[in-house]
Amino acid sequence: MQNRKPSQLGGMSSAAAFNRGNSTYAEGVTTTTNGVGTADGGESKVYSNENCLTRCVAWGLEAVEEGFGSFGKFTARYPWTVILVSSLICGLCSIGFLRFETESRPEELWVLQGTEALTDEDYVSSVWNNRVRFNLYYATARGGVSITSPAAIQRLYDLHQRVLVINVSASSNTDEFPGKWDYERACLRTGDTCATTTVLDLFDYDEAVIASLTEEEIIRRINNDSFYVLESGREFSKDDIIGFDGDGNIRAYRGVYVLDEHAVERDGERTDVVGEPWEAEGIDIFRGDNSPLETFPQFASSWSEEFGRAIEQDSNSLTIAFIIIIVYLFLTLGRRDKVDCMMGLSMTAVISIGMALAASWGLASAFGEFYSPLHGIIPFLLVGLGVDDAFILVTHYQQALEKGDKGTGYEEAIEMAMRTGGMSILITSLTDFLAFAIGSTTNIPALSSFCVYAGLGVVFDFFFQVTFFMACLTLDARRAHAKRLDIALCCKDGDEVFQPYRSPARGFCCLRCKAVKQDVSTPVFREYGKLLMTWPARIGVLMAFLTLIGLSSFGVNQMETNFRADWFLPPDSYLRDSIDVANEFFTQTTVFDVYIKDIDYFARQEELNSVGRFLTSSREVVPETSDFWYSGYLSWAAETQPYSSAYNASINAVTNATLFYTGLQAFLNSSEGERFGGDIQFIDDMDPVAGIFATRSAAQIGQSEFSGTGQERYEAMQNLRSDLSDAMNYDDARVFATEFIFWERFGFIREELVKNLGIALGVMATIVFLLLYSAPVVFSVVMAIGATVLDVFGLAYFWGVQINFVVTIFLLIAVGLSVDYSAHIGHAFKEARGPADERARKALLTTGPPVFNAIFSTFLAILVLANAQTYVFQVFFQMFTLTTVLGGFHGLVVLPVVLSFLGGDSLDEDDNGIEKFKGAAAFHGRNSAHPESYPAKKRAGFDMWAVKGRGDSKINGETEMAVTVTQQEILAEAKAGIDDGNDSQV
């Protein structure tokens, strides 16, 4: 027999005495009674299996509960003080709005920090102005006209002339950008000409030539490669401007006007004060009636314009969703009674959520966190959490009144609601906060900032619920006990017999259905709990649970990593039409450059030749899209004196350093090399022999933002880097395109997602364990939460969702919401007494209705977003629908069933009055030396304990019996004793 240390339990609370629902502590307990006490309250000592950690956690939980109870008592006595202090704290935090900043630039929101692409961007930006604005258009024929007809080309020429005469003033900063800006002044130049590429280049923009064209001549020029080399020496590809169908027929044209950047930064926004007004007029030109052509603009400013339009549409739907949740709160928070309806209190719940938003956003702004369009989802999140907390607190208050004796006043009920309900919402709020705190450590700026705002929102929502809202609940309780009508405070109820939340509800003819006077949730959940605990139901639930796990696991394994900018566009956006034409008729590619700087170009000509081979033969480079300055220079030098004398064909290099550098300068000044003038920077333009500072060379990769998957784009980028590093050390030569900073994330997104979810679930499990401290209950709750997240993630695959950072954010939210749906049930189960299945039924009966109300109100609100226009809100609808449905399924269906199997019995005292022994808390401070002092029925359980004695000894003349017994034996034999009427004593 194992020895145990004695523990003093007399007068301890249920928390200290392990009244926590952990039935495993009663297995094989050895207990002694020493006869020290007396019948009128003597001290009783028992041996227990407590250890240091157990006592510390129990004492800690008791302290937290006592703290909630004490604050509840204070709030019940001084509600106006609590309201004043909480309002003052909200006001102080809101001062942070003075530093409120917004951010909408994609490169500042969605770019993974610390990546190689950002390092490359810094490398490039240190030498080159890499910020330009590409303005594309696509043209197809309509009305039976051929795209190769003279009328089509002439119409394009007319549009081109209209573009050239666009003349705008800078929208601001006119001192920095004075005067009028037409295309010739605003464009990006390559040599002496603007970087413009259209089908009109085949006709040299010659009005006379274009006016006399025939269809045969147009087709001849399109198919003759010599027309793709301009007088300036600049070359371009047929695929750049001509679109073909699957049979090789010409179906579309593409053109591009490139503007240099003229930008200023204001309030976190980077604005091109010349480009944006110029592009606005250009978009109007190409969106107009341009018969016999149909034209589709895809200008640089089109994206922000269309994104903003879509978000504005969906923001209206989100407002409706808020209203639905709030109306549902008004209709269901209280009872259907003119005194107890709590409609005024519902308004204070909404105010407390607004205070949480104001305080959290103000404090986040004070910390220097920016606000992005994605943050617009946070109010919806906090409304859902706040309404859930309000339901929980009010339910505990109502139950305290309903179950208390007639002497229980509203102040005692407020104290009890704070003690039990406060502990319940603390569990969910703390785990939600930690989930977002972990998410804030990510290297994605938008995700990090979102999690800071959301995490602070969760903290302040909890704070204002237990302060401002509970103080308002106290004032509402005073009103109700004074028999004053809700809302109409000046009117008093004439029914002197009526008692708030004790008397039956009498209906409310104004806004409540008078025909349904009683709360329907209680009988519904009572019958539901009975049905759920039947064996067929439990087996069916477990089978459904395992089936979902299998489907979800399959979905997670099949889900691809992808994200495209056009997903953010509304369905009716003209940009979608432009992208559809591009995908249908054009090869989708991305222009990139090879950047080289700070090397001895003359000494490393062999590596330059390797770079040339990379540009022409790399597995990822589109053939015939590169135009390498070094290759062009060698071809020119081989035929030009005096440089040809130093050219060695066998090694394809210029062997004299002076001739190498002077010859290169001469090449750049020639008609053949003029096109490379912007791609080479000498250390000293006046002394070329001093060497070259930096160069760049363009080509195209066979991937684009609108083709393939994110993983394919990432792999293509990595292949480019690998191939270039084989040609030249990557520290000296780098491959870069602006798109790469977005493609980089696809190589890390799965890792980032798994890391964030894993840490969030781990921390959540730890917090749930510390606050519930019952291994079976904690295991069941954590399993329900983990299964919810897995099912949301996996089943999203069947809804077409793919992995990206938007989905990552919603999965973190799913963790938080699933904690709310499961932890409340777990906490109620822990507090319930009786056999496991009975505890599960009691948990559903007490906590099921408010949890269901929170789930159902959120689900109703989400339905408004079913027709969302933007990708963010579409995924929001999909993920939140899955979260509410699956979270509700696991919290209200699966978790009670699992707890009925694993949760164990809580053997304190059953409905028949039998004292059920439970580990170290077996006697709860009763006088074990005088069993005759117990009531007869309670004594039956004690008698059965004594009968199972395994030996005795003498202490102070009294008998001490060492007892080893299990819960199952106690319960079975105690019940048998009652049934047989056996009240014998030892």
Side-chain angles (χ1 to χ4, degrees):
M1 183 177 297
Q2 185 177 358
N3 292 325
R4 312 282 183 180
K5 292 185 177 181
S7 173
Q8 303 289 340
L9 295 177
M12 291 180 68
S13 74
S14 61
F18 290 91
N19 217 350
R20 316 301 303 173
N22 191 347
S23 60
T24 58
Y25 291 137
E27 298 292 341
V29 174
T30 299
T31 308
T32 67
T33 63
N34 58 20
V36 174
T38 63
D40 58 353
E43 183 179 21
S44 175
K45 293 183 180 181
V46 297
Y47 288 94
S48 80
N49 65 346
E50 291 183 79
N51 55 43
C52 182
L53 176 62
T54 297
R55 289 194 297 271
C56 288
V57 172
W59 291 336
L61 293 177
E62 183 182 20
V64 173
E65 288 183 353
E66 288 299 323
F68 275 118
S70 299
F71 184 73
K73 183 183 296 185
F74 179 86
T75 302
R77 293 179 178 176
Y78 309 105
W80 286 110
T81 300
V82 174
I83 290 173
L84 179 62
V85 172
S86 59
S87 300
L88 180 62
I89 292 174
C90 177
L92 290 175
C93 292
S94 300
I95 295 175
F97 273 106
L98 296 174
R99 295 190 60 190
F100 184 77
E101 293 184 356
T102 61
E103 181 60 76
S104 61
R105 291 170 291 175
E107 66 272 17
E108 298 296 332
L109 293 175
W110 301 108
V111 175
L112 191 65
Q113 301 300 296
T115 60
E116 188 171 358
L118 285 181
T119 302
D120 291 344
E121 183 185 41
D122 292 339
Y123 174 96
V124 171
S125 300
S126 65
V127 180
W128 309 94
N129 173 21
N130 210 46
R131 296 183 182 274
V132 294
R133 301 177 68 86
F134 290 96
N135 300 291
L136 292 85
Y137 71 83
Y138 295 87
T140 59
R142 64 180 178 183
V145 176
S146 170
I147 192 66
T148 56
S149 67
I153 299 298
Q154 290 162 5
R155 185 57 172 160
L156 282 180
Y157 180 76
D158 292 340
L159 294 175
H160 176 70
Q161 293 301 312
R162 291 175 61 187
V163 168
L164 294 182
V165 298
I166 294 175
N167 207 11
V168 299
S169 299
S171 58
S172 66
N173 294 63
T174 52
D175 292 339
E176 185 178 354
F177 305 103
K180 292 289 188 177
W181 295 78
D182 60 8
Y183 182 63
E184 287 291 326
R185 185 182 179 190
C187 73
L188 176 71
R189 293 187 172 275
T190 57
D192 294 332
T193 61
C194 290
T196 306
T197 304
T198 73
V199 70
L200 301 176
D201 280 307
L202 301 179
F203 314 104
D204 295 326
Y205 297 92
D206 189 313
E207 183 177 8
V209 172
I210 292 172
S212 62
L213 284 173
T214 63
E215 187 163 4
E216 291 75 13
E217 176 63 14
I218 293 171
I219 295 174
R220 185 183 74 83
R221 293 193 179 219
I222 288 175
N223 293 325
N224 190 330
D225 291 343
S226 64
F227 287 98
Y228 294 90
V229 180
L230 306 181
E231 289 185 3
S232 64
R234 181 168 65 89
E235 298 181 12
F236 59 100
S237 169
K238 181 188 300 183
D239 292 335
D240 291 340
I241 60 172
I242 309 297
F244 300 89
D245 62 17
D247 296 326
N249 301 311
I250 300 171
R251 295 299 185 192
Y253 298 133
R254 174 168 60 189
V256 59
Y257 297 93
V258 185
L259 298 182
D260 207 347
E261 188 180 58
H262 308 85
V264 297
E265 289 196 22
R266 292 194 303 266
D267 299 328
E269 299 283 349
R270 189 176 181 87
T271 304
D272 192 309
V273 296
V274 172
E276 291 183 9
W278 187 94
E279 289 160 4
E281 295 195 22
I283 290 171
D284 289 340
I285 291 174
F286 285 101
R287 290 193 67 191
D289 182 6
N290 296 316
S291 299
L293 298 176
E294 190 168 7
T295 53
F296 310 93
Q298 186 179 319
F299 280 29
S301 58
S302 298
W303 296 97
S304 57
E305 173 190 321
E306 290 296 281
F307 290 163
R309 184 172 67 88
I311 290 175
E312 182 179 350
Q313 294 174 356
D314 286 338
S315 296
N316 295 332
S317 298
L318 200 60
T319 301
I320 297 174
F322 292 151
I323 295 173
I324 290 176
I325 293 180
I326 292 170
V327 170
Y328 188 89
L329 174 70
F330 271 60
L331 296 178
T332 57
L333 186 64
R335 298 198 302 169
R336 294 158 185 81
D337 188 276
K338 55 187 176 181
V339 173
D340 289 343
C341 64
M342 291 186 169
M343 296 188 68
L345 183 65
S346 299
M347 178 60 69
T348 66
V350 175
I351 293 173
S352 69
I353 296 169
M355 294 170 69
L357 279 171
S360 60
W361 287 16
L363 194 58
S365 298
F367 289 160
E369 296 291 336
F370 60 76
Y371 177 90
S372 77
L374 184 67
H375 290 51
I377 296 171
I378 294 177
F380 187 90
L381 171 66
L382 292 188
V383 167
L385 295 177
V387 167
D388 180 31
D389 292 345
F391 275 124
I392 293 294
L393 292 171
V394 168
T395 298
H396 281 271
Y397 167 74
Q398 294 168 347
Q399 290 173 351
L401 281 179
E402 291 170 356
K403 297 180 180 179
D405 55 35
K406 293 184 178 180
T408 302
Y410 68 86
E411 290 189 1
E412 291 82 358
I414 291 290
E415 178 184 351
M416 184 57 64
M418 187 74 86
R419 182 187 298 272
T420 56
M423 190 71 177
S424 184
I425 68 172
L426 172 65
I427 297 172
T428 58
S429 299
L430 185 57
T431 50
D432 288 348
F433 166 72
L434 289 174
F436 287 120
I438 292 164
S440 68
T441 63
T442 183
N443 289 325
I444 306 297
L447 176 56
S448 176
S449 177
F450 177 91
C451 288
V452 170
Y453 271 79
L456 289 175
V458 169
V459 170
F460 279 109
D461 174 69
F462 168 78
F463 175 77
F464 289 119
Q465 289 291 332
V466 299
T467 55
F468 180 85
F469 177 71
M470 287 302 291
C472 292
L473 177 58
T474 300
L475 296 177
D476 189 75
R478 289 181 179 178
R479 172 201 58 77
H481 281 74
K483 306 291 182 66
R484 296 192 177 276
L485 303 187
D486 194 23
I487 305 296
L489 301 179
C490 57
C491 301
K492 202 167 184 179
D493 183 26
D495 188 349
E496 297 296 331
V497 180
F498 177 79
Q499 290 185 328
Y501 283 96
R502 289 196 177 97
S503 300
R506 300 164 296 178
F508 189 15
C509 61
C510 295
L511 294 176
R512 308 278 180 121
C513 178
K514 190 172 183 178
V516 185
K517 296 183 178 181
Q518 300 298 327
D519 177 25
V520 297
S521 61
T522 299
V524 167
F525 270 88
R526 180 180 292 112
E527 295 303 316
Y528 167 67
K530 293 178 181 179
L531 175 63
L532 188 63
M533 290 300 107
T534 62
W535 273 105
R538 290 197 283 181
I539 292 173
V541 167
L542 293 179
M543 291 179 64
F545 169 73
L546 294 175
T547 300
L548 282 176
I549 292 295
L551 286 174
S552 301
S553 299
F554 173 80
V556 169
N557 289 328
Q558 296 297 311
M559 193 173 288
E560 293 182 333
T561 301
N562 201 9
F563 183 84
R564 287 171 42 169
D566 57 318
W567 290 353
F568 279 97
L569 299 173
D572 61 346
S573 171
Y574 68 86
L575 273 178
R576 284 191 177 273
D577 296 331
S578 175
I579 293 168
D580 288 343
V581 172
N583 287 331
E584 184 176 1
F585 299 123
F586 291 86
T587 301
Q588 293 290 66
T589 63
T590 298
V591 176
F592 69 91
D593 283 273
V594 174
Y595 295 92
I596 305 173
K597 74 169 187 175
D598 295 332
I599 69 168
D600 186 338
Y601 284 81
F602 171 75
R604 300 178 68 172
Q605 290 183 76
E606 182 179 354
E607 292 176 83
L608 291 175
N609 278 309
S610 297
V611 172
R613 289 189 292 271
F614 156 77
L615 289 170
T616 56
S617 59
S618 171
R619 51 190 157 167
E620 300 295 346
V621 176
V622 178
E624 300 181 0
T625 61
S626 65
D627 192 12
F628 189 27
W629 64 266
Y630 180 70
S631 300
Y633 169 51
L634 291 182
S635 297
W636 176 84
E639 299 178 357
T640 306
Q641 287 291 344
Y643 313 106
S644 59
S645 61
Y647 173 71
N648 186 331
S650 64
I651 60 174
N652 197 35
V654 175
T655 57
N656 181 281
T658 300
L659 290 178
F660 175 84
Y661 290 112
T662 57
L664 179 58
Q665 188 178 60
F667 169 67
L668 296 177
N669 291 328
S670 69
S671 59
E672 294 91 335
E674 181 184 10
R675 67 183 185 275
F676 299 114
D679 296 332
I680 299 174
Q681 294 186 28
F682 286 97
I683 295 174
D684 184 351
D685 290 336
M686 304 303 296
D687 182 15
V689 180
I692 302 171
F693 173 56
T695 64
R696 64 183 178 187
S697 303
Q700 296 178 29
I701 184 176
Q703 293 286 338
S704 79
E705 185 67 24
F706 310 116
S707 64
T709 66
Q711 188 64 32
E712 290 171 345
R713 297 196 286 275
Y714 174 77
E715 291 173 356
M717 178 185 67
Q718 289 294 85
N719 289 338
L720 271 184
R721 290 170 174 169
S722 175
D723 291 348
L724 179 59
S725 65
D726 291 338
M728 180 177 285
N729 188 307
Y730 202 75
D731 288 337
D732 298 324
R734 300 181 182 233
V735 59
F736 179 75
T738 301
E739 289 82 354
F740 288 0
I741 63 176
F742 299 101
W743 296 4
E744 190 89 61
R745 60 193 172 195
F746 296 113
F748 300 90
I749 188 169
R750 280 184 181 272
E751 175 185 335
E752 195 80 7
L753 176 59
V754 171
K755 181 192 76 173
N756 286 332
L757 286 180
I759 297 176
L761 289 172
V763 172
M764 173 271 300
T766 302
I767 297 301
V768 170
F769 177 77
L770 291 176
L771 294 178
L772 293 181
Y773 201 67
S774 169
V777 177
V778 171
F779 172 81
S780 302
V781 170
V782 171
M783 182 212 64
I785 296 170
T788 300
V789 175
L790 174 63
D791 288 350
V792 169
F793 193 7
L795 295 183
Y797 163 76
F798 299 99
W799 211 339
V801 175
Q802 300 182 48
I803 299 173
N804 53 58
F805 289 119
V806 175
V807 174
T808 298
I809 289 175
F810 292 134
L811 280 174
L812 285 176
I813 295 175
V815 173
L817 291 180
S818 59
V819 169
D820 283 12
Y821 301 153
S822 296
H824 291 311
I825 298 295
H827 183 260
F829 179 90
K830 176 186 70 66
E831 296 294 333
R833 300 292 171 257
D837 57 345
E838 180 63 24
R839 296 173 72 194
R841 286 196 294 269
K842 288 180 178 179
L844 284 172
L845 185 62
T846 57
T847 310
V851 171
F852 174 80
N853 282 330
I855 294 171
F856 188 65
S857 61
T858 304
F859 179 75
L860 283 180
I862 290 171
L863 292 179
V864 177
L865 296 173
N867 293 319
Q869 300 296 302
T870 57
Y871 175 74
V872 169
F873 287 99
Q874 289 168 353
V875 176
F876 179 82
F877 166 74
Q878 293 170 320
M879 300 299 285
F880 263 62
T881 299
L882 290 172
T883 299
T884 53
V885 172
L886 294 172
F889 173 72
H890 287 94
L892 295 176
V893 181
V894 175
L895 181 57
V897 170
V898 174
L899 287 170
S900 72
F901 287 111
L902 304 180
D905 303 330
S906 178
L907 305 178
D908 288 339
E909 185 170 293
D910 72 359
D911 296 335
N912 294 321
I914 300 176
E915 185 83 17
K916 298 178 181 178
F917 302 99
K918 179 169 174 285
F923 296 102
H924 290 281
R926 293 188 185 275
N927 185 354
S928 56
H930 297 273
E932 68 276 5
S933 66
Y934 282 75
K937 288 186 177 181
K938 291 185 178 181
R939 195 166 67 245
F942 182 85
D943 294 341
M944 292 302 104
W945 179 285
V947 166
K948 298 297 291 183
R950 302 292 193 245
D952 58 18
S953 61
K954 294 285 185 177
I955 298 179
N956 297 327
E958 298 289 335
T959 299
E960 176 179 85
M961 304 187 68
V963 183
T964 301
V965 61
T966 65
Q967 274 188 349
Q968 287 77 9
E969 291 173 319
I970 295 170
L971 181 59
E973 297 188 35
K975 285 185 176 179
I978 292 297
D979 294 339
D980 295 341
N982 182 4
D983 196 23
S984 60
Q985 301 177 22
V986 176

